[in-house]
């Protein structure tokens, strides 16, 4: 039996929009039916690349032959487009975060709850194969109960200041993926968080209260401790890793090399380099989450698919981390999910 083809309208034709457009065009269960963007010329160019047409957001919401809307526009527009699309009865894939304001994100989520419309939030790191295997082995009891979790997210290149000014800050933009991963992997909730941060790679971030280097310590509700370190810039490639220490051993999702074997010689050991940037490392996870979303729309139960409450709770952790950065104190995380 062939999969049901979902007719999808894409809102946003920037970098991530282009990633989603390529994945929609490549997926046998999707039809990229419409591309929307405030920049009409950019939307038209992307639409032509994949043999479809460009149009307005209102068209995406009102057309009966659109089954789902994928929101990949700028972050400040997410919540409004999400509310409009779900209100129109469309299934929604919304990039994270739901909104830069936790209060607005919460209000939108609460308003959509009665609609029972399928919505997923773009936490694609859940679909990394190594992270998923770690979760599976944790669930099987391979190392007993988690006691200490260490997470690393070190991007290779500093984004532009223009991007960073609109991103909501390192906690809401970068670290939020790992707040979600922590909940996803452990099945536990973050109780308190403490954060230290500094603008070391790009001092201009201080002008708008952001950081590019940070260390966080978190206590989970069942007692485990977690540490996360983030940086916006390394000198050696993209570095993402997770280790979980339990009562019976340790599980680790290690940094992944881009290519090649390790060379051992008397003069020393030469190892292959890491992926040069974050997207090279996580490219496949975008397709994997899209695939899971489409399978869910086709009637399949997909356990790992992050929903609205997952998006909201990860954002609540990010808000507590921001407060801790400012106050220098541990902050209790509001429990929303």
């Amino acid at each position: 039996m062939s999969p049901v083809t979902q007719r999808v309208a894409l809102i946003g034709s920037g970098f991530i929009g282009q990633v989603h457009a390529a994945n929609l065009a490549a997926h046998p269960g999707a039809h990229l039916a419409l591309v929307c963007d405030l920049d009409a010329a950019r939307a038209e160019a992307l639409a032509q690349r994949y043999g479809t047409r460009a149009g307005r957001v209102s068209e995406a919401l009102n057309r009966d032959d659109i089954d789902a809307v994928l929101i990949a526009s700028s972050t400040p527009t997410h919540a409004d487009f999400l509310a409009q699309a779900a209100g129109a009865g469309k299934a929604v894939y919304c990039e994270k975060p739901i909104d830069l304001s936790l209060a607005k994100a919460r209000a939108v989520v609460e308003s959509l709850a009665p609609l029972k419309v399928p919505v997923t939030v773009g936490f694609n790191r859940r679909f990394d194969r190594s992270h998923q295997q770690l979760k599976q082995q944790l669930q099987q009891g391979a190392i007993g109960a988690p006691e200490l979790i260490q997470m690393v997210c070190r991007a290779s290149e500093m984004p532009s200041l223009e991007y960073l000014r609109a991103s909501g800050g390192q906690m809401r933009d970068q670290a939020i993926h790992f707040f979600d991963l922590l909940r996803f992997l452990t099945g536990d909730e973050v109780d308190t968080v403490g954060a230290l941060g500094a603008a070391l790679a790009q001092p201009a971030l201080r002008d708008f209260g952001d950081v590019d280097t940070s260390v966080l310590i978190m206590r989970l509700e069942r007692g485990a401790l977690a540490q996360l370190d983030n940086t916006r810039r390394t000198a050696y490639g993209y570095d993402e890793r997770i280790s979980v220490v339990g009562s019976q051993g340790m599980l680790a999702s290690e940094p992944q090399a881009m290519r090649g074997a390790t060379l051992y010689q008397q003069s020393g050991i030469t190892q292959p380099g890491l992926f040069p940037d974050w997207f090279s490392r996580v490219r496949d996870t975008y397709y994997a989450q899209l695939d899971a979303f489409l399978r869910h729309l086709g009637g399949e139960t997909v356990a790992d698919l992050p929903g609205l409450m997952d998006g909201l709770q990860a954002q609540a952790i990010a808000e507590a981390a921001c407060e801790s950065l400012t106050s220098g104190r541990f902050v209790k995380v509001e429990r929303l999910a």
Side-chain angles (χ1 to χ4, degrees), residues 5-329:
T5 299
Q6 302 293 332
R7 299 160 298 185
V8 183
L10 173 65
I11 302 177
S13 58
F15 176 75
I16 292 300
Q18 293 175 44
V19 171
H20 286 301
N23 288 336
L24 286 165
H27 198 287
H31 168 58
L32 178 56
L34 191 69
V35 177
C36 312
D37 197 296
L38 290 176
D39 186 333
R42 190 171 67 176
E44 183 64 36
L46 185 59
Q48 287 186 5
R49 189 186 310 171
Y50 294 106
T52 188
R53 57 183 298 271
R56 297 179 180 274
V57 172
S58 58
E59 187 178 353
L61 302 178
N62 295 324
R63 276 175 48 176
D64 293 334
D65 60 347
I66 298 292
D67 303 305
V69 173
L70 198 159
I71 300 169
S73 50
S74 60
T75 299
T77 67
H78 288 180
D80 290 338
F81 286 151
L82 170 59
Q84 293 169 27
K90 311 297 185 184
V92 184
Y93 182 130
C94 182
E95 274 297 337
K96 63 78 193 165
I98 296 169
D99 192 78
L100 292 179
S101 162
L102 179 60
K104 183 171 181 177
R106 184 175 188 173
V108 168
V109 170
E110 289 176 349
S111 72
L112 298 184
L115 301 181
K116 307 297 183 184
V117 174
V119 178
T120 190
V121 178
F123 287 126
N124 54 295
R125 298 299 205 283
R126 290 188 179 209
F127 296 87
D128 179 276
R129 293 180 181 179
S130 296
H131 299 346
Q132 288 199 330
Q133 184 176 359
L134 188 154
K135 177 182 173 71
Q136 182 180 35
Q137 290 180 280
L138 269 178
Q139 290 178 322
Q140 292 169 348
I143 62 166
E147 297 173 350
L148 179 66
I149 303 100
Q150 294 188 309
M151 313 175 82
V152 168
C153 179
R154 300 173 187 166
S156 55
E157 296 181 1
M158 177 69 65
S160 69
L161 271 176
E162 180 184 11
Y163 172 84
L164 293 170
R165 285 182 188 279
S167 71
Q170 191 179 43
M171 298 302 106
R172 299 182 186 94
D173 180 57
Q174 183 182 17
I176 194 170
H177 278 290
F178 290 79
F179 300 148
D180 178 70
L181 273 175
L182 183 58
R183 298 180 63 246
F184 169 67
L185 294 172
T186 64
D188 203 355
E189 298 290 348
V190 177
D191 180 71
T192 53
V193 59
L196 289 174
L200 302 178
Q202 177 52 275
L205 293 177
R206 300 168 191 161
D207 295 340
F208 48 95
D210 197 6
V211 300
D212 54 44
T213 307
S214 58
V215 178
L216 295 95
I217 299 174
M218 293 165 278
R219 184 186 299 277
L220 278 62
E221 289 185 352
R222 293 201 290 265
L225 300 178
Q227 176 181 296
L228 168 63
D229 77 65
N230 307 268
T231 184
R232 290 285 197 179
R233 185 267 291 133
T234 71
Y236 62 91
Y238 180 72
D239 190 351
E240 178 174 317
R241 47 182 135 151
I242 301 170
S243 65
V244 183
V245 177
S247 55
Q248 299 172 34
M250 183 180 79
L251 285 165
S253 179
E254 303 282 9
Q256 295 183 12
M258 181 174 61
R259 68 175 82 85
T262 301
L263 174 63
Y264 291 82
Q265 296 176 313
Q266 286 186 344
S267 59
I269 300 172
T270 303
Q271 295 181 308
L274 298 176
F275 283 100
D277 56 71
W278 69 273
F279 183 66
S280 299
R281 168 68 172 79
V282 306
R283 180 193 304 267
D284 292 345
T285 65
Y286 281 97
Y287 185 91
Q289 182 169 2
L290 175 65
D291 175 70
F293 177 59
L294 294 170
R295 288 189 284 112
H296 174 64
L297 296 187
E300 183 177 336
T301 299
V302 183
D304 296 340
L305 200 60
L308 283 171
M309 295 308 296
D310 294 306
L312 202 58
Q313 193 59 46
Q315 192 164 343
I317 302 169
E319 293 304 310
C322 289
E323 183 180 341
S324 179
L325 278 173
T326 302
S327 69
R329 300 190 301 269

